[in-house]
């Protein structure tokens, strides 16, 4: 019987009925349970034991006896932050029962006997289901919603229905959850406002040179390559949290690439096009604008993956213009790339390529949906509760506005990136990838490297980022920041938030690095500046955009970043 079912699942899994391999993974879990009834019995007995303890807890608390909470939400889980979840016995028991069941179910699907990929798939989608079924997501089991319903005489639900209808209209029949009051923001008005000029552009990017605020600047310019999955102004949201402005004030001549939001015309642009029209075109332009050929660089996320590719090519060809490279949450070894791997297989990429071929690009909303699933409680369900159950309007939050201002992905580049790097992990196989007719070997990179990772990063997990320390041949500094993919980077010293870890050694395993790392409160920016300025040369007269070898095209932030 099991063999017949195996064949059925094998036939179905490549089809549209099971694009993620969830059916195959689920069937393996069922097989394992049938073949090992002792494990199934042990799981059930453990759950029953916990529920009996919870029953005892309930009775004791109802009688006023001293009790100790049995199941607590993980740190940072805001679903059960309201005081009613603890003060009311009814809601306390609902909460703990849910947390207990979730713990046991996640433990069950985390069985190593399933195989690495099937285990990962089952864990991911089980968590998605558990997040969706949280008692905080339903009217009758969320004390905040019930209180609001009583106090407003149901108007919260009426307003919630209006918000739901508006989001369906905005999504043209598909639900597009509003996360932010978009009317409060405008790029160039209250976002991306650091003074500067666009001094170069081609069909793929604009190059912005920022106006100095100091009389003297370091000799070596700083060139930033942000990801083209989102827009560059994550590094320049506003005066209080602008990384770019902070660096300008520290005396750096800062350049940043502003990628185009591609349409069908750019659908054929390849990874090499981004390399040549992005990295190398920007290097040429910075040299022309400043007269300086020695440049320090930053690569953020996929911009860092691209930069690493360029560094390997430069090492092979003898191009010595880049003197140091900093990587923000950037992966080059994708063997442990986290939950995004769930969305990437040969079958899924074939389907994705077929879907993208109609327009030549991947819609921004499709990328956003995948990323939002990585943090479903924060980026999906919290807004369902706020907008539709509590009937409240989204607040003005610059980070969420930027998150919603996402970009399309050109088909040729995106499929290459996902297939060659995420799926096949070829960037770490010396000479396997050929770019600009040069075999790419990351081991040849010998310039100073600074690697930043986020402790809670769901997109580029820190253990994945750390793997680069074992690849480069030059001096590597690894730093682990608090928070995730965005807040772990955008953490100005003035905010006095989070923390970071340092360790001058880079052992093979990240666990060993962490075990001997030093904890520092606050922002890591000063630590990085202390590393970079020593590699930036002496001070020279400040450079004014347009006064060098390149004329001004337009004011920053330029046209490209405003493309929808």
């Amino acid at each position: 019987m099991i063999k017949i079912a195996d064949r059925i699942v094998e036939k179905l899994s490549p089809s549209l009925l099971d694009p993620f391999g969830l059916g195959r993974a689920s069937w393996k879990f069922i097989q394992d349970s049938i073949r090992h009834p002792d494990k199934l019995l042990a799981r059930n007995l453990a759950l029953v034991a916990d529920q009996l303890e919870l029953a005892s807890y309930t009775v004791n608390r109802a009688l006023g006896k001293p009790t100790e909470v049995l199941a607590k939400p993980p740190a940072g889980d805001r679903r059960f932050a309201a005081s009613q979840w603890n003060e009311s016995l009814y809601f306390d028991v609902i909460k703990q029962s849910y947390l207990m069941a979730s713990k046991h179910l996640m433990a069950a699907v985390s069985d190593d006997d399933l195989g690495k990929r099937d285990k990962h798939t089952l864990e991911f989608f089980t968590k998605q289901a558990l997040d969706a079924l949280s008692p905080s997501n339903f009217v009758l089991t969320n004390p905040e919603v019930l209180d609001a319903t009583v106090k407003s005489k149901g108007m919260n639900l009426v307003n919630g229905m209006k918000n739901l209808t508006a989001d369906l209209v905005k999504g043209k029949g598909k639900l597009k959850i509003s996360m932010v009051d978009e009317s409060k923001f405008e790029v160039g008005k209250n976002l991306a406002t650091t003074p500067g000029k666009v001094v170069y552009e081609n069909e793929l990017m604009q190059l912005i040179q920022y106006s100095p605020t100091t009389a003297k600047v370091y000799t070596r310019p700083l060139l930033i390559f942000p990801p083209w999955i989102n827009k560059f102004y994550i590094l320049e949201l506003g005066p209080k949290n602008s990384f770019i402005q902070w660096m300008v004030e520290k005396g750096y001549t800062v350049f940043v690439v502003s990628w185009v939001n591609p349409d069908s015309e750019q659908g054929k642009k390849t990874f090499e096009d981004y390399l040549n029209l992005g990295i190398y075109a920007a290097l040429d332009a910075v040299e022309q604008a400043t007269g300086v050929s020695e440049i320090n660089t930053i690569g953020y996320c996929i911009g860092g993956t691209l930069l690493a590719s360029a560094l390997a090519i430069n090492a092979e060809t003898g191009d010595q213009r880049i003197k140091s490279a900093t990587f923000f949450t950037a992966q080059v070894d994708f063997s442990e790339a986290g939950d995004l791997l769930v969305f990437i297989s040969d079958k899924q990429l074939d389907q994705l390529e077929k879907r993208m071929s109609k327009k030549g690009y991947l819609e921004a909303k499709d990328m956003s949906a995948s990323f939002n699933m990585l943090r479903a409680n924060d980026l999906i369900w919290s807004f369902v509760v706020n907008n539709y159950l509590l009937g409240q309007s989204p607040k003005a939050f610059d980070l969420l506005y930027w998150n919603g201002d996402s970009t399309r992905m050109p088909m040729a580049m995106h499929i290459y990136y996902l297939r060659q790097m995420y799926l096949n992990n070829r960037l770490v196989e010396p000479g396997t990838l050929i770019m600009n007719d040069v075999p790419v070997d990351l081991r040849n990179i010998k310039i100073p490297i600074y690697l930043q990772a986020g402790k809670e990063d769901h997109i580029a997990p820190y253990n994945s980022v750390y793997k680069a320390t074992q690849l480069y041949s030059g001096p590597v500094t690894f730093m682990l920041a608090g928070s995730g993919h965005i807040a772990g980077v955008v953490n100005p010293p003035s905010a006095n938030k989070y923390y970071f870890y340092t360790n001058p050694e880079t052992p093979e395993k990240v666990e060993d690095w962490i075990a001997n790392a030093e904890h520092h409160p606050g922002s890591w920016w000063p630590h990085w500046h202390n590393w970079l300025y020593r590699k930036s040369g002496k001070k020279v007269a400040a450079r004014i955009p347009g006064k060098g070898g390149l004329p001004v095209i337009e004011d920053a932030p330029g046209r490209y970043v405003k493309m929808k």
Side-chain angles (χ1 to χ4, degrees):
M1 186 69 181
I2 288 178
K3 289 183 178 180
I4 294 173
D6 277 343
R7 288 186 191 135
I8 294 172
V9 172
E10 187 178 341
K11 293 292 183 185
L12 287 177
S13 60
S15 73
L16 291 173
L17 295 177
D18 190 21
F20 301 105
L22 180 59
R24 180 190 64 246
S26 300
W27 176 243
K28 282 191 175 181
F29 175 74
I30 294 170
Q31 283 181 303
D32 184 68
S33 298
I34 293 172
R35 288 170 177 157
H36 303 283
D38 55 320
K39 288 201 297 188
L40 180 61
L41 179 61
R43 291 168 188 154
N44 287 328
L45 289 175
L47 176 59
V48 169
D50 273 357
Q51 291 295 334
L52 288 174
E53 272 199 78
L54 182 59
S56 175
Y57 167 92
T58 304
V59 172
N60 287 332
R61 184 176 167 184
L63 295 174
K65 295 181 179 180
T67 54
E68 185 174 341
V69 173
L70 302 173
K72 296 179 181 179
D77 189 341
R78 294 177 292 179
R79 293 175 297 175
F80 307 106
S83 59
Q84 298 98 313
W85 287 107
N86 300 316
E87 294 169 356
S88 164
L89 176 59
Y90 172 72
F91 289 112
D92 181 24
V93 171
I94 287 176
K95 174 192 69 179
Q96 291 197 64
S97 182
Y98 165 77
L99 292 173
M100 280 182 176
S102 298
K103 179 189 74 173
H104 284 282
L105 190 52
M106 288 302 299
V109 299
S110 297
D111 195 323
D112 288 330
D113 289 345
L114 296 174
K116 184 177 180 179
R117 180 168 183 87
D118 289 325
K119 172 187 170 184
H120 192 182
T121 298
L122 207 54
E123 284 177 335
F124 179 81
F125 285 103
T126 299
K127 186 175 186 307
Q128 294 299 312
L130 290 171
D131 289 346
L133 293 171
S134 170
S136 58
N137 297 336
F138 300 93
V139 174
L140 296 179
T141 52
N142 185 322
E144 288 183 278
V145 175
L146 284 175
D147 282 354
T149 303
V150 171
K151 289 176 182 177
S152 70
K153 297 181 180 179
M155 285 306 297
N156 60 307
L157 299 178
V158 173
N159 293 333
M161 185 58 68
K162 291 178 181 177
N163 290 340
L164 177 61
T165 302
D167 285 349
L168 286 169
V169 170
K170 185 172 65 174
K172 298 179 180 178
K174 294 182 179 180
L175 184 60
K176 185 177 181 181
I177 301 173
S178 296
M179 298 183 180
V180 65
D181 183 352
E182 296 180 0
S183 67
K184 296 293 191 294
F185 298 102
E186 184 179 347
V187 176
K189 296 292 185 182
N190 57 357
L191 297 171
T193 58
T194 302
K197 307 290 182 182
V198 175
V199 296
Y200 173 83
E201 69 181 32
N202 58 36
E203 64 265 40
L204 211 50
M205 65 89 169
Q206 287 188 317
L207 183 68
I208 300 170
Q209 179 181 354
Y210 288 91
S211 301
T213 59
T214 56
K216 290 187 176 294
V217 295
Y218 293 104
T219 301
R220 290 179 183 171
L222 176 63
L223 173 57
I224 304 174
F225 299 100
W228 52 91
I229 294 172
N230 287 96
K231 296 182 179 180
F232 83 88
Y233 67 89
I234 184 59
L235 297 174
E236 215 227 314
L237 288 172
K240 292 183 179 179
N241 54 1
S242 171
F243 174 81
I244 288 172
Q245 181 173 310
W246 191 82
M247 292 307 297
V248 169
E249 292 171 352
K250 289 296 179 184
Y252 293 91
T253 303
V254 179
F255 291 82
V256 68
V257 166
S258 174
W259 301 102
V260 75
N261 193 355
D263 55 22
S264 296
E265 291 185 10
Q266 281 98 24
K268 295 182 180 179
K269 294 297 183 185
T270 65
F271 198 80
E272 280 190 26
D273 287 326
Y274 274 80
L275 187 70
N276 294 317
L277 296 173
I279 300 281
Y280 291 118
L283 287 172
D284 292 342
V286 170
E287 184 175 356
Q288 192 174 350
T290 63
V292 177
S293 61
E294 296 185 347
I295 299 168
N296 292 320
T297 57
I298 297 175
Y300 193 162
C301 190
I302 189 174
T305 308
L306 185 75
L307 177 59
S309 303
L311 294 178
I313 294 171
N314 289 358
E316 187 70 24
T317 61
D319 186 336
Q320 299 181 11
R321 286 179 291 177
I322 298 178
K323 294 302 181 181
S324 77
T326 297
F327 295 98
F328 295 165
T329 65
Q331 300 173 95
V332 291
D333 183 331
F334 290 81
S335 58
E336 295 184 39
D339 287 341
L340 279 175
L341 289 175
V342 170
F343 299 98
I344 298 168
S345 67
D346 277 320
K347 301 177 185 70
Q348 291 177 70
L349 292 184
D350 287 343
Q351 293 173 19
L352 178 62
E353 187 170 12
K354 184 177 180 180
R355 189 165 82 247
M356 292 172 71
S357 64
K358 296 176 183 177
K359 294 183 178 179
Y361 56 79
L362 180 65
E363 291 280 6
K365 63 183 180 182
D366 294 331
M367 285 291 295
S368 296
S370 298
F371 284 126
N372 289 346
M373 286 180 72
L374 302 183
R375 294 179 55 208
N377 284 328
D378 291 332
L379 295 177
I380 297 176
W381 297 112
S382 66
F383 294 100
V384 168
V385 173
N386 182 79
N387 299 3
Y388 309 145
L389 301 186
L390 293 174
Q392 297 176 359
S393 298
K395 296 182 171 124
F397 187 17
D398 52 7
L399 191 61
L400 286 176
Y401 179 88
W402 168 85
N403 186 63
D405 190 15
S406 49
T407 56
R408 297 176 287 273
M409 299 292 281
M411 182 178 75
M413 182 287 305
H414 196 50
I415 291 297
Y416 176 89
Y417 171 63
L418 295 179
R419 193 176 295 280
Q420 300 302 330
M421 297 178 191
Y422 265 96
L423 182 61
N424 297 319
N425 199 26
R426 295 221 166 116
L427 189 56
V428 296
E429 298 177 13
T432 304
L433 293 182
I434 307 296
M435 299 182 193
N436 287 357
D437 298 322
V438 176
V440 176
D441 188 346
L442 299 179
R443 298 174 304 176
N444 291 333
I445 299 173
K446 298 178 181 178
I447 64 171
I449 299 291
Y450 189 104
L451 287 174
Q452 179 271 344
K455 197 167 189 296
E456 299 168 20
D457 195 332
H458 294 77
I459 296 172
Y462 70 84
N463 57 314
S464 181
V465 174
Y466 184 82
K467 287 179 173 292
T469 64
Q470 308 303 303
L471 294 169
Y472 304 131
S473 298
V476 178
T477 298
F478 181 78
M479 185 278 301
L480 182 61
S483 199
H485 197 68
I486 303 303
V489 174
V490 185
N491 182 25
S494 59
N496 195 29
K497 291 176 65 177
Y498 307 127
Y499 55 86
F500 65 99
Y501 294 95
T502 60
N503 181 350
E505 304 297 324
T506 52
E508 182 179 355
K509 295 182 178 180
V510 70
E511 293 81 7
D512 295 332
W513 185 93
I514 291 174
N516 296 294
E518 183 180 356
H519 178 274
H520 309 271
S523 172
W524 56 269
W525 291 8
H527 178 269
W528 173 74
H529 164 56
N530 191 53
W531 177 87
L532 184 65
Y533 90 84
R534 302 169 191 274
K535 299 165 180 61
S536 299
K538 63 181 182 180
K539 292 288 187 75
V540 298
R543 306 175 177 106
I544 308 299
K547 300 296 184 181
L550 290 177
V552 170
I553 296 174
E554 61 181 336
D555 289 338
R559 305 184 315 281
Y560 284 18
V561 75
K562 297 179 182 180
M563 292 179 177
K564 297 293 185 180

